[in-house]
Amino acid sequence: MTQHIGVKLINAYPMTRLAYNDFRGWELPSDENGSDEGYLVEYLDGGKPNTDRFNGYVSWSPKDVFDKAYRPVSGLSFGLAVEALKLGKRVTRTGWNGKGQYVILIPGDHLARSAGYGFGEAIGEFSFGSVMALKNAQNIMQPGWVPSQGDVLADDWKIL
C-alpha cells in the first residue's frame, strides 16, 4: 500500500448529521446520532453534482474527520500552490498588486516539443525540466519565473 496526500478546494457548511439527512431527504438510521457535528462538503474539483442545489459533488463529514483533513483557507501556502501547479492548475497571490497575474507549470516535454527536440531518448540528447511561468499584468507569459522569499513564505496563494 502507498501513502497519498490530496489537495482539494472545497466549500464547507457546518451541519449536523440529522440536518444533512434532512437536506438529502433521507431517513436518519436508528444507529446514528443526529446531533453529531459535522459539515456538508461541496467538492469543487470535479465529480458530477449529486443534488440540484449545488454545482459540485456534496457529502457530509463528521467534524473530527473534517478538522484533520482541512483547514480554513484565506489562502494556500506556497507548498500547496506548487502541488496545485503539478496538477495543472493556475495559481495566484491575493497579495500581488498586478491585475490578472498567475503562475503555471510548463512540463519539460512541452518545452522539448516546442523547441523541436525529442524526449531525451536519443544518445546524447538532453531532456528538458519543467519550469514555472508567470503571466504578468501586461499579459506576457514569462517562463523561468522564480518566486521571491515573500512569495515562498506567503499564505495568500489561491487556485484559479
Side-chain angles (χ1 to χ4, degrees):
M1 183 172 305
T2 60
Q3 290 186 329
H4 297 81
I5 186 168
V7 177
K8 291 181 180 275
L9 185 62
I10 63 163
N11 289 328
Y13 307 90
M15 185 176 281
T16 65
R17 185 184 301 268
L18 177 60
Y20 180 73
N21 278 271
D22 289 345
F23 165 78
R24 295 302 301 267
W26 299 341
E27 181 94 17
L28 181 71
S30 61
D31 62 341
E32 291 185 2
N33 181 358
S35 63
D36 284 343
E37 291 183 26
Y39 293 87
L40 178 147
V41 178
E42 179 188 16
Y43 296 94
L44 304 173
D45 61 350
K48 289 186 175 185
N50 56 350
T51 174
D52 59 1
R53 292 182 261 180
F54 288 87
N55 293 326
Y57 182 84
V58 172
S59 68
W60 186 81
S61 177
K63 184 177 182 337
D64 61 334
V65 172
F66 180 91
D67 290 343
K68 289 176 185 172
Y70 301 104
R71 67 177 175 94
V73 176
S74 57
L76 304 173
S77 69
F78 182 68
L80 291 175
V82 169
E83 291 300 319
L85 287 171
K86 290 177 180 179
L87 294 173
K89 307 290 186 187
R90 296 177 302 156
V91 297
T92 189
R93 284 194 55 205
T94 56
W96 280 342
N97 52 8
K99 294 279 185 193
Q101 294 188 141
Y102 60 83
V103 176
I104 62 170
L105 186 69
I106 303 174
D109 61 336
H110 292 290
L111 293 171
R113 281 196 303 269
S114 66
Y117 289 93
F119 299 97
E121 63 271 344
I123 296 174
E125 183 181 42
F126 55 87
S127 59
F128 284 74
S130 299
V131 298
M132 288 186 283
L134 173 72
K135 199 284 279 176
N136 67 20
Q138 292 74 40
N139 206 31
I140 297 170
M141 190 62 72
Q142 297 177 313
W145 174 76
V146 178
S148 69
Q149 282 189 356
D151 292 326
V152 171
L153 297 174
D155 282 325
D156 66 348
W157 287 93
K158 66 180 185 176
I159 300 169
L160 295 176

